[in-house]
Every structure is written in C-alpha cells, then in structure tokens.
Amino acid sequence: MQSQFPLTHAAKNWLLTLIIAALGCALLCGFAETYRRNQGHTPSVRDDLDLWALERARVDAAGDQAIAILGTSRVLYGLDPTVLAVALPGKVPVMLAVNGAYPLAALADLAADPRFTGTAFVDIDARGLARYYRDMQAPQVHHFAQGFAGFGTGPSAALQRRLLSQWQIKMVIADSDFGLIASLTRKFFAAPAPQPRHATLAPNRAGFLDFQTPGINIAAMADNFAAGVHSDYIGHPPPPISQWLADLQDVAHDLAAIRARGGKVVFFCSPTSGAHLAADEQGYPRKIYWDRFASEIAVANGAKAIYAADVPALAAVLLPDSSHIDRRDRAAFSNAVAQLLR
C-alpha cells in the first residue's frame, strides 16, 4: 500500500543529508570521547544553582524522613547518600553541601520552611560558625526561593537540568572545558590543556575524590589548605569567644524553630589532620570555641554536636590532603556516620 504522503526527490535528499550529518556528528563525538578518556578524563556532573535547587526540593518532598546533609566539600565528597539510605531504612538522605561554602544560610532556610520536619546533618567547624561566613550559601537558598524545581516558575528549567546531568555523567565531552570556545581560547592564549580531575560529582550531587588520579600533587594540596586557613585568619580574625557566642544566637533560634516542628539537628565537625588541624586549633581552639558551642548553643537547644575526633571509627580515617577522604574510604566513613545518626 502506497503512502498518502510520498517523499519528493528533494525531501529524500534532505533526509539523506540529515542522516549523514547525524552519523558524522556521532563519529566525531565518539572520537573525541575516546580521545579524552584515553587521556585519563572521566565524566562528572558540573554543579550549579539549578542542581542544588533540585535536591533542596527533595528535602521538602521527603517530609520527616528527610536527612538534609549540609556542609562543605568534606561531606560533599565524603558522605554517600546511597550508603546512608541502606544503613537507615526509610530515610531519604539528600546532599545539600556546597564546595567551599559554609552552610549556615541553608540551615536558616530549613528553619524558616514549615515543610521541613526531618533531620539536618550539619558538617561545620568552629571557624564556619563565625558570622563572617553566615551567608556563603545564600545564592543557593535565594535561587530555590525564586520558585525553581517546579514550585511555580521553573519546571522546564528543572527538566533541562535533569537531562543535562544525565548527559554530563555519561560523557566526558559534556564538560564545558572541552567545548569549542574553551578549546579555541586555550589555543589562542597557548594555555595548557585541562588535566584529569580527581573530583567526581553524581546527578544527586554526591561526589568522591580519587587521590590516585595521575598527576595530582597531594602534598601541595595539604600545604595549600593549611596556608589558606592561616591567610583567612588575617582577613577574618577569630572573634573573642563572647562575641562569637553572641553572634550564634541566630543559630539558636533556628534550632528552636526546627525542634518546635519535631525536626532534629546534628552538628558534625569533620576530621582534619597535620598542618591543617594545627591551623584550626591555633585559630579556634576546640576547648574555647567548639566545646562552648556544643554545650551552650547546640545541646541547650535540643541539637547534637559531634566532634569526629572523638569517634574512633572516624578519627582513624585517612585524610590524604589533610581535609578529605579518598573514594575507597567513603563507604566506611558513611556507615560510621549512619551509626551516629541511628
């Protein structure tokens, strides 16, 4: 039976052209992907405000079963929500930590949200509790509050972000560093090609660090962390303990608000080692700062405060760069944290 809409000769030529073009693009992409992988590159999702907003929406959807993981890179790359979900049946761990940004703005956001009745797991140290760093995650909170992730204005953006995440986690060439503009810019300025990264992020924003990645200088990383802490003390000197505690009254109000709805908060100070630990202790001695916060702010308002060095399973974890764990220790670290949350 003949079609009622037979293709014209011109249409067939266009169709053939499109097929050839598609095959050419596929072959080119395949060649580029193989080339990059042979160089040691691996796929990873690129974090952004949209991705954070997607995960933040999951916290509200999970109700009292949600475990909102707040913090910085130590838990972003150290805690595995999948391992936590298996170890804590029925719970919904959600990764909201942000690389390089302390999380008090996100905690305040949860406190102000009547839908949040779950558990906030807050990875933070004494330095991060200082007022200097209170708004570091404000951009993420603001982006979510504008209605992203389906709450009024952003369903199409949410779908686009989900599709982009799947593309990025499957293909190295999805990384913008390998795009045409970035490649031409490097060539024009004679800049070096990107080196394989030791950090990988999944679509659920959980990541890991591979310290066996060729070419990375672990000793230099450790030195940079310690130097960064000392440098930060110059621009943001540790405040007197009386001022530091007074500034934390906002946090006390956040804890009271969450507790009033039946929610829970667990503060967790991740381990550090070497020169990094020495710098932390020099600027914010534990007995003067963290211990006072634990008793006078956290526990006094119904929260828990855990210092990782006090937990044998966590104190023994290896920190190659003095601050983060390797991907091979991630499951054990996550199970140890799950035991604490139990």
Side-chain angles (χ1 to χ4, degrees):
M1 182 176 178
Q2 291 186 340
S3 170
Q4 294 180 340
F5 305 100
L7 291 174
T8 65
H9 181 70
K12 289 179 180 178
N13 286 341
W14 273 110
L15 180 60
L16 180 60
T17 301
L18 288 174
I19 292 174
I20 293 174
L23 289 174
C25 288
L27 288 173
L28 184 61
C29 288
F31 173 79
E33 182 71 13
T34 301
Y35 175 72
R36 294 301 182 186
R37 286 180 183 256
N38 287 340
Q39 290 183 319
H41 297 282
T42 55
S44 176
V45 171
R46 296 298 291 266
D47 199 11
D48 60 21
L49 296 178
D50 287 349
L51 191 61
W52 192 91
L54 277 177
E55 294 305 297
R56 175 63 179 82
R58 291 183 58 222
V59 172
D60 286 341
D64 60 4
Q65 298 304 304
I67 299 178
I69 303 170
L70 310 182
T72 58
S73 58
R74 295 175 194 170
V75 287
L76 179 66
Y77 296 116
L79 270 187
D80 187 342
T82 304
V83 172
L84 291 181
V86 172
L88 302 169
K91 298 297 183 181
V92 183
V94 181
M95 181 58 70
L96 295 180
V98 178
N99 186 20
Y102 283 117
L104 287 185
L107 178 63
D109 175 54
L110 294 177
D113 187 350
R115 293 168 294 190
F116 179 69
T117 55
T119 299
F121 180 83
V122 188
D123 178 52
I124 198 167
D125 54 20
R127 179 165 62 118
L129 289 165
R131 182 170 290 279
Y132 301 125
Y133 314 101
R134 188 68 51 87
D135 296 325
M136 292 187 79
Q137 291 188 15
Q140 284 77 12
V141 171
H142 178 74
H143 190 68
F144 175 72
Q146 294 306 298
F148 181 77
F151 293 113
T153 64
S156 61
L159 175 61
Q160 179 182 358
R161 178 62 255 191
R162 290 189 180 96
L163 294 174
L164 180 61
S165 292
Q166 293 306 312
W167 166 243
Q168 290 177 339
I169 200 59
K170 290 179 173 62
M171 301 291 288
V172 171
I173 59 174
D175 191 323
S176 58
D177 281 349
F178 300 123
L180 179 61
I181 300 298
S183 298
L184 291 176
T185 301
R186 284 195 300 271
K187 187 174 183 61
F188 182 79
F189 290 102
Q195 296 300 306
R197 295 189 182 96
H198 73 304
T200 298
L201 203 69
N204 66 350
R205 294 194 71 258
F208 62 80
L209 300 176
D210 188 347
F211 287 101
Q212 294 184 15
T213 301
I216 65 170
N217 189 331
I218 299 176
M221 291 180 183
D223 291 342
N224 286 338
F225 278 124
V229 173
H230 286 298
S231 177
D232 190 52
Y233 290 156
I234 296 175
H236 305 97
I241 182 61
S242 58
Q243 183 62 51
W244 186 79
L245 287 171
D247 290 341
L248 286 170
Q249 291 309 304
D250 289 347
V251 175
H253 295 153
D254 293 339
L255 300 182
I258 292 173
R259 184 183 184 188
R261 293 196 300 268
K264 301 178 180 65
V265 179
V266 177
F267 289 98
F268 178 78
C269 185
S270 285
T272 56
S273 64
H276 192 163
L277 174 59
D280 289 337
E281 187 63 19
Q282 178 183 349
Y284 289 87
R286 174 186 174 178
K287 291 183 178 180
I288 297 176
Y289 288 88
W290 177 268
D291 288 352
R292 293 282 300 274
F293 163 75
S295 61
E296 298 178 28
I297 303 295
V299 174
N301 289 280
K304 301 288 186 182
I306 300 169
Y307 200 79
D310 294 339
V311 182
L314 298 175
V317 70
L318 295 177
L319 305 169
D321 65 354
S322 77
S323 187
H324 302 90
I325 66 172
D326 183 80
R327 63 177 301 180
R328 295 155 189 83
D329 297 318
R330 187 164 165 252
F333 184 81
S334 299
N335 277 312
V337 170
Q339 180 65 29
L340 295 176
L341 291 173
R342 250 186 232 115

